[in-house]
Amino acid sequence: MSTINYTIPDPELSVLGRSQCNSLKENLVPKITGPNPELDVGLIIVSPMRRTIETALLAFGELGIPMEAHAGWQENSIQPCDTGTSLAALRKEFPEVNFDHVDPVYPDKTSPAGKKYFNTKQAIMARGQEVLRDLKRRKEKVIIVVSHSGFLRSGVTGRWYMNADYRVFDFVDDSEEKEGEAVKIKEREWTVKEGGLGWSFEEAVELGDGLPDEEPALN
């Protein structure tokens, strides 16, 4: 019997979730720190939802790497658990995170103003390409993104992510894309099977798989 409660608005991490963040920290931080880091991380981008912000702070908050919230990386559904909190409240709750560049429409994803965040196949796949283009344009060599399994799997990478697990990708081509051309990424060999922590399913899925086609009723 499932104990997941989808009605809790923008929930915090559970005790189990915090424990999983410790496992992430122990596994990934050594690859970021040191004189010759395997991953030369210059920025952490995080979905502006409580559980992802808490994950980023617990796992990477002590590294001193700039942390920036980005509405494009939020989760798909319009359930209360996947709908964010006002930016004014988040700024007070998480002063360590830069919210200056978050789309001011956040957390709306049901009205015409929030159409780009609709829980539809077209919107989510378009958002996946948009956030990849944004990453590709940035100057940092390596960027950590703390997002959500549903959006990452169906909109961005086509790979599974269990809680706190991670995968590492590179852009296939460093050149600028032509208009209408999809941004392509390739996963590094050491996470390509079951993720960096070995917690995730190995099978790949097609982007857009399982996403609804119909638009939600507009407010």
Side-chain angles (χ1 to χ4, degrees):
M1 181 177 178
S2 174
T3 59
I4 299 175
N5 187 345
Y6 296 100
T7 65
I8 301 174
D10 196 10
E12 299 177 348
L13 284 176
S14 64
V15 174
L16 175 59
R18 290 176 175 272
S19 173
Q20 291 166 334
C21 287
N22 287 332
S23 298
L24 173 61
K25 179 178 180 180
E26 292 172 1
N27 181 284
L28 190 52
V29 166
K31 297 177 176 64
I32 300 169
T33 56
N36 297 298
E38 187 173 353
L39 299 171
D40 186 10
V41 178
L43 178 68
I44 298 168
I45 292 179
V46 60
S47 158
M49 303 192 74
R50 285 195 175 98
R51 60 188 182 274
T52 39
I53 295 172
E54 289 179 347
T55 296
L57 291 172
L58 286 170
F60 311 117
E62 297 176 359
L63 297 178
I65 298 171
M67 195 172 296
E68 181 178 309
H70 192 309
W73 292 97
Q74 67 183 293
E75 187 58 296
N76 297 342
S77 88
I78 58 173
Q79 296 274 8
C81 64
D82 290 333
T83 301
T85 302
S86 73
L87 293 176
L90 291 173
R91 284 190 174 96
K92 293 180 180 178
E93 194 170 346
F94 302 106
E96 309 94 329
V97 178
N98 180 358
F99 295 94
D100 291 347
H101 304 292
V102 176
D103 187 342
V105 75
Y106 185 84
D108 175 18
K109 48 185 176 179
T110 59
S111 80
K115 186 173 182 177
K116 68 185 291 185
Y117 305 108
F118 279 4
N119 184 30
T120 64
K121 184 174 183 178
Q122 181 181 14
I124 290 169
M125 292 185 69
R127 179 155 61 95
Q129 281 293 299
E130 182 178 3
V131 294
L132 285 177
R133 289 191 187 94
D134 176 72
L135 285 184
K136 194 171 182 180
R137 294 187 187 111
R138 292 183 182 249
K139 66 182 186 299
E140 294 85 4
K141 292 181 179 179
V142 179
I143 298 174
I144 291 176
V145 176
V146 185
S147 185
H148 306 267
S149 61
F151 177 60
L152 289 172
R153 180 180 67 253
S154 60
V156 185
T157 72
R159 303 308 307 273
W160 288 90
Y161 300 79
M162 297 300 108
N163 287 350
D165 206 355
Y166 69 93
R167 296 182 182 273
V168 182
F169 294 85
D170 296 290
F171 291 107
V172 172
D173 185 356
D174 290 334
S175 63
E176 292 187 10
E177 305 82 33
K178 298 177 182 178
E179 186 175 352
E181 187 177 54
V183 180
K184 296 181 176 63
I185 55 177
K186 182 178 180 180
E187 189 169 358
R188 294 195 183 180
E189 288 296 326
W190 54 280
T191 69
V192 77
K193 291 188 176 180
E194 297 175 337
L197 292 174
W199 294 351
S200 301
F201 300 139
E202 182 176 350
E203 296 80 10
V205 299
E206 183 178 353
L207 289 177
D209 182 60
L211 294 176
D213 291 320
E214 295 183 3
E215 296 184 354
L218 301 181
N219 291 337

